[in-house]
Amino acid sequence: MRALSLLAALSAAGATVTASPVGPAHAPRALSDSNPFVGKKLFANPKWASKLEDTYKAFTSRGDSENAAVVRKVQKIGSFVWVSSRSGLSEIDEAIQAARAEQSRTGQKQIVGLVMYNIPDRDCSAGESAGELSTKNDGLRIYKEQFVKPYAAKLAAAKDLQFAVVVEPDSLGNSVTNSAVEFCKQAIPTYREGIAFAIKSLQLDNVAVYLDAANGGWLGWGDSLPKAANEIATILSMASPAKVRGFSTNVSNYNPYLATKRDSFTSGSPSYDESHYASSLAPYLQQHGLPAHFIIDQGRVAYPGARKDWGDWCNVNPAGFGHIPTTDQSVLQNSNVDAIVWIKPGGESDGQCGLTGAPIAGAWFGGYAEMLTGNADASVKNS
C-alpha cells in the first residue's frame, strides 16, 4: 500500500496550520477506558506461520541454524489477519476457531487482531492493492450488505473472544492528501460513508475499533496534522454516537517506533518516528473530543538509510521484523500508545515494486521473509 503520495511529499513544504480545529457536535469517545491488549496474547495466525515453513527450510538447507531458530520464534508471534474481500470472510471463521483452540490449550486470553480492508475504490492513489469493489458498480451497497454486515455478525457470535479491528488502511491518508487526484476525489464520499457504517456496525462489547491514521511520513507533517484530525472528526461525526478505541498507524509501512538515528528526509517533521507521530496527532484529536489511543505496526522496520525518502514504501531493503508486540510502557515510553503490534504479516509482498522480482501485492515473497528474519529486532531473537 502507498505510504506517501507525491502530493503528500510536496505538502511537506507547507506552513504549519496553528488554528484550532472545530469538533463535531457529538464526538465519539473510546469504547472503554482500559487498554484491550493488556493481559492478553495477540493471536498468532497459524496460516501465516505455515507460510514461514519454507523460510525455515531455506535456512536449514544452508546450515544456518541461527536464523532457522529465529523463524521458529517469529512463527509464535501474534499478527493481524487481513480480511480484504467477500470471499476472504472465511478468514475470520478460521481465526476464531484457531484462537479458541489456543485459548483452551494455554488458558491464556487471546485478542484476535483483524484488518477490515475492502472499501470501494481502495488504494485510489497507487493501485498496487486495488480491491474488488467500485463505487460505479454499486460497490458501496455491496460493501455494507455483503462485507461489513457479515464481518460484524461473525464477531458478535464469538463473545468468548476479544477482537481488535483496524478499519480500512490508507483511506484516511488518501482523503487528506490526494483530493487533487480525480479518482481519489471521487472516492472520498464513499470512504467516509463506508467507514462510518463499518464503525457503527462494530459497536460490540468484545471489539476494540481502531480507525487507520496512515503514518508519520504521510500525515505527520505540521500542516497535515490538523487536516488529518479534521477528516477523522468528519468520519466519526457521521458514525456518531458510535465509538472507537483509537487509531492504528504505520500499517504496512517501515517507520521505526523510536528512531535510533533520524533519517535526513524527516527533517522539519515533528513525526520523524511513529511514537512522535502519535504524540503529534494526539492534541488535534483531543481538541475534537476524540480518544488519543494508538496501536503501531512494527511488523517490518526499515534500517536507517535504507530509504531515500518517505515515498519509498514498497519492499524496502534492508528491513527486518520489528519489536515484538507489547504493552509494556518501559518499552513504549508513550502513554498515548496502547501497544506495538504486527499488523502487516512480514513476507507478504507490497507489490511488484521495490526489489527486483517482487510478486503482486499480498503474494508470498520468500526471499524477503529471509531478509526480515536475518535483520530481526533483538526482541524477536530474545523472545
Side-chain angles (χ1 to χ4, degrees):
M1 292 182 296
R2 193 174 182 86
L4 181 67
S5 70
L6 175 60
L7 292 173
L10 292 174
S11 73
T16 301
V17 176
T18 57
S20 297
V22 178
H26 302 288
R29 292 174 294 177
L31 281 170
S32 171
D33 289 333
S34 62
N35 181 347
F37 288 87
V38 170
K40 303 179 187 71
K41 168 71 168 60
L42 181 60
F43 168 66
N45 184 4
K47 290 189 72 173
W48 177 58
S50 68
K51 294 179 181 180
L52 288 161
E53 278 301 311
D54 285 343
T55 310
Y56 176 81
K57 292 175 183 177
F59 284 124
T60 55
S61 68
R62 299 196 293 265
D64 189 344
S65 59
E66 182 178 349
N67 277 316
V70 174
V71 174
R72 285 291 184 242
K73 293 180 178 182
V74 170
Q75 288 175 306
K76 298 177 183 179
I77 294 173
S79 64
F80 277 54
V81 177
W82 287 65
V83 186
S84 54
S85 65
R86 286 167 290 170
S87 63
L89 288 166
S90 60
E91 298 283 348
I92 299 175
D93 302 318
E94 293 174 16
I96 287 172
Q97 182 179 8
R100 281 174 170 160
E102 185 67 10
Q103 194 162 271
S104 177
R105 184 183 70 83
T106 65
Q108 187 172 17
K109 184 72 173 176
Q110 302 283 298
I111 181 166
V112 180
L114 299 173
V115 180
M116 177 180 279
Y117 187 53
N118 199 26
I119 197 78
D121 304 333
R122 192 177 75 189
D123 198 20
C124 65
S125 67
E128 286 289 345
S129 301
E132 65 177 355
L133 302 177
S134 166
T135 301
K136 291 182 178 180
N137 294 315
D138 201 25
L140 185 56
R141 184 193 64 80
I142 295 171
Y143 176 73
K144 292 178 179 180
E145 296 296 324
Q146 298 180 22
F147 184 72
V148 173
K149 284 186 177 180
Y151 194 121
K154 291 176 185 295
L155 306 194
K159 292 182 173 61
D160 54 318
L161 293 173
Q162 175 73 44
F163 298 91
V165 180
V166 168
V167 177
E168 298 300 346
D170 277 5
S171 298
L172 178 74
N174 279 315
S175 296
V176 173
T177 68
N178 287 321
S179 60
V181 176
E182 187 60 29
F183 185 34
C184 289
K185 181 180 179 180
Q186 295 173 0
I188 290 171
T190 293
Y191 288 178
R192 289 173 175 170
E193 184 176 343
I195 291 171
F197 181 84
I199 291 170
K200 287 188 287 187
S201 300
L202 292 170
Q203 298 299 293
L204 302 165
D205 290 341
N206 62 330
V207 176
V209 180
Y210 291 88
L211 175 60
D212 187 66
N215 61 77
W218 196 342
L219 298 180
W221 298 90
D223 60 336
S224 294
L225 290 164
K227 295 175 185 177
N230 288 342
E231 182 64 18
I232 290 169
T234 295
I235 293 168
L236 294 184
S237 66
M238 292 172 68
S240 184
K243 303 170 185 177
V244 297
R245 168 62 191 178
F247 306 91
S248 59
T249 82
N250 204 42
V251 174
S252 295
N253 210 276
Y254 292 87
N255 299 337
Y257 179 75
L258 286 170
T260 56
K261 180 180 180 182
R262 181 167 178 165
D263 283 308
S264 59
F265 54 78
T266 70
S267 178
S269 172
S271 307
Y272 57 88
D273 58 36
E274 289 302 298
S275 178
H276 280 88
Y277 176 43
S279 296
S280 298
L281 183 57
Y284 291 97
L285 295 171
Q286 291 165 338
Q287 287 176 30
H288 285 281
L290 301 176
H293 305 295
F294 297 86
I295 55 173
I296 296 177
D297 188 1
Q298 291 288 276
R300 301 101 45 91
V301 178
Y303 268 32
R307 297 175 291 177
K308 295 180 180 179
D309 59 57
W310 250 325
D312 290 339
W313 57 271
C314 190
N315 300 315
V316 173
N317 176 28
F321 289 115
H323 198 287
I324 61 172
T326 185
T327 60
D328 186 351
Q329 277 294 331
S330 69
V331 175
L332 301 177
Q333 300 179 47
N334 190 332
S335 60
N336 292 121
V337 178
D338 280 348
I340 285 173
V341 290
W342 285 14
I343 298 176
K344 172 69 173 181
E348 293 185 3
S349 176
D350 295 318
Q352 293 177 304
C353 43
L355 289 181
T356 301
I360 62 172
W364 190 251
F365 192 178
Y368 205 78
E370 293 175 35
M371 181 192 69
L372 293 175
T373 301
N375 296 328
D377 185 81
S379 64
V380 176
K381 297 177 180 179
N382 297 329
S383 63

